[in-house]
Amino acid sequence: MHSKLHRRRFIGITAAAAGVAALPAVAGTDGLHVWTGTALGARASLRLYHPDSRTAEAAIQRCIAEIGRLERIFSLYRPDSAVSTLNREGAIHSPPFDLVRLLDSARHLHRTTGGIFDMTVQPLWQLHAAHFSQQPVPVDGPAGSALAAALALVGQEAVLVEPDRIAFARPGMALTPNGIAQGYVTDRIAELLRSEGFADVLVDLGEARASGEHPDGTPWRAALADPAGGAPLRKVDLDGALATSAPSGFAFDRAGRFHHIFDPRTGQPAEARPSVSVLAPEATVADALSTAFVQMSTDDIRRTLRVHAGVTVHALTRDGLSEELSSAAG
């Protein structure tokens, strides 16, 4: 495999400071307080306005603690996380409320996207990761029989979710929180800050969510980058959430034929658009819809938008053309 196991991000938040190590909050003369670090394996930042440095710093520390708590639920790389425990054992009793809530959202999004968004594609990821880890590195994908066996383990409807128990209906199933958990954590942090009275906030935890405005009176802004490496496709004012998906974020093979976005109907890497960005009221929804829409036709995206109010989609076609689609405001 030629890249690290994470999604490359195609969202550039203007005025965002580069950096991956956790830093203390920095206050500017305009009352803007900035923290940068990592969350769920992605570069992360918090930007909030408050005239009192101590109040802002205390809020940021609470946000960092909450990010850590949620990572202990959703991380695929921590063997003690709730998701890792569920994947290993096939069931989990007394599950964390946040995992139940996330899976309820995932079930709804699975239904509204016609089954395209599906958290149970993890066996397909595991199969491809193992296959392309062989030496010499294979040129083609996994054998048809292996692919069929992994695909038989895919199906969001086979995840049984109750307040006191989550279980898989079929042995060997596994969840991936990629494609929704970053959005969910972003929402939780944005809501925490809102509950504490912070009105002007930009949370960027792999997906972004903004409220209010920059202290200089301008909107929070985001640049949607060209996945081919060219100039930004466009800049957008951000009042709500933004998420982007692109197949070029990670590929198992050097040629880039076998990427990380799997079609749950076929088990193959999806016939995908180069990039899709979704603006929505909540980052959980934006995250999941961007994952689904990168696989969908324009007509299918339009049908899905009928049941998701206040969503705008900026998408590239396979021919490199740009499309903008919007739902009703709701």
Side-chain angles (χ1 to χ4, degrees):
M1 289 176 284
H2 78 287
S3 179
K4 294 182 180 179
L5 296 181
H6 59 74
R7 294 163 57 192
R8 185 193 303 165
R9 296 181 54 229
F10 290 102
I11 303 170
I13 304 300
T14 59
V20 295
L23 299 174
V26 177
T29 56
D30 56 3
L32 179 65
H33 302 264
V34 180
W35 169 85
T36 61
T38 58
L40 292 173
R43 191 167 62 198
S45 67
L46 301 174
R47 285 169 168 73
L48 56 93
Y49 171 79
H50 198 278
D52 182 73
S53 294
R54 289 186 179 181
T55 299
E57 175 67 27
I60 287 172
Q61 291 304 315
R62 286 191 289 275
C63 289
I64 294 170
E66 179 68 357
I67 291 169
R69 184 186 72 82
L70 292 168
E71 283 188 321
R72 291 191 291 274
I73 295 173
F74 299 126
S75 174
L76 279 173
Y77 303 103
R78 293 180 57 120
D80 60 340
S81 74
V83 167
S84 293
T85 301
L86 174 61
N87 286 350
R88 184 174 59 250
E89 299 182 3
I92 185 171
H93 296 275
S94 301
F97 170 75
D98 289 284
L99 182 54
V100 174
R101 185 179 180 183
L102 179 74
L103 288 173
D104 283 342
S105 295
R107 179 170 51 194
H108 171 68
L109 289 155
H110 176 76
R111 184 172 63 252
T112 61
T113 60
I116 299 299
F117 177 77
D118 195 312
M119 289 183 67
T120 66
V121 295
Q122 182 65 3
L124 297 170
W125 170 279
Q126 293 168 331
L127 172 64
H128 283 74
H131 177 76
F132 286 102
S133 293
Q134 298 177 81
Q135 295 297 329
V137 178
V139 174
D140 294 321
S145 57
L147 188 65
L151 184 58
L153 300 175
V154 174
Q156 189 80 36
E157 67 284 350
V159 182
L160 310 176
V161 182
E162 298 176 352
D164 60 348
R165 183 174 180 265
I166 300 170
F168 297 137
R170 298 190 289 274
M173 293 183 68
L175 293 176
T176 173
N178 294 339
I180 191 170
Q182 283 182 323
Y184 181 89
V185 175
T186 298
D187 283 335
R188 300 291 78 73
I189 298 304
E191 290 168 4
L192 186 158
L193 290 169
R194 182 176 58 190
S195 72
E196 297 195 2
F198 290 89
D200 300 308
V201 170
L202 173 61
V203 179
D204 181 13
L205 304 181
E207 316 302 349
R209 181 168 168 176
S211 61
E213 59 187 21
H214 190 279
D216 65 7
T218 61
W220 300 109
R221 302 210 76 199
L224 308 183
D226 182 353
L233 299 174
R234 69 174 63 209
K235 293 182 179 180
V236 294
D237 292 345
L238 194 56
D239 182 16
L242 170 65
T244 295
S245 290
S248 56
F250 173 80
F252 294 95
D253 63 322
R254 291 188 179 277
R257 293 169 55 207
F258 296 90
H259 57 76
H260 68 294
I261 301 177
F262 292 100
D263 186 331
R265 299 164 298 185
T266 67
Q268 300 280 0
E271 293 288 332
R273 295 167 175 267
S275 179
V276 171
S277 295
V278 175
L279 292 149
E282 295 182 345
T284 305
V285 172
D287 197 1
L289 289 183
S290 70
T291 302
F293 286 169
V294 80
Q295 307 181 49
M296 295 168 68
S297 70
T298 300
D299 287 342
D300 286 341
I301 292 174
R302 285 197 179 102
R303 278 191 287 270
T304 304
L305 289 177
R306 292 172 189 166
V307 294
H308 287 283
V311 174
T312 297
V313 181
H314 298 282
L316 292 179
T317 69
R318 297 186 184 95
D319 297 327
L321 302 177
S322 180
E323 295 182 325
E324 180 176 338
L325 307 167
S326 296
S327 63

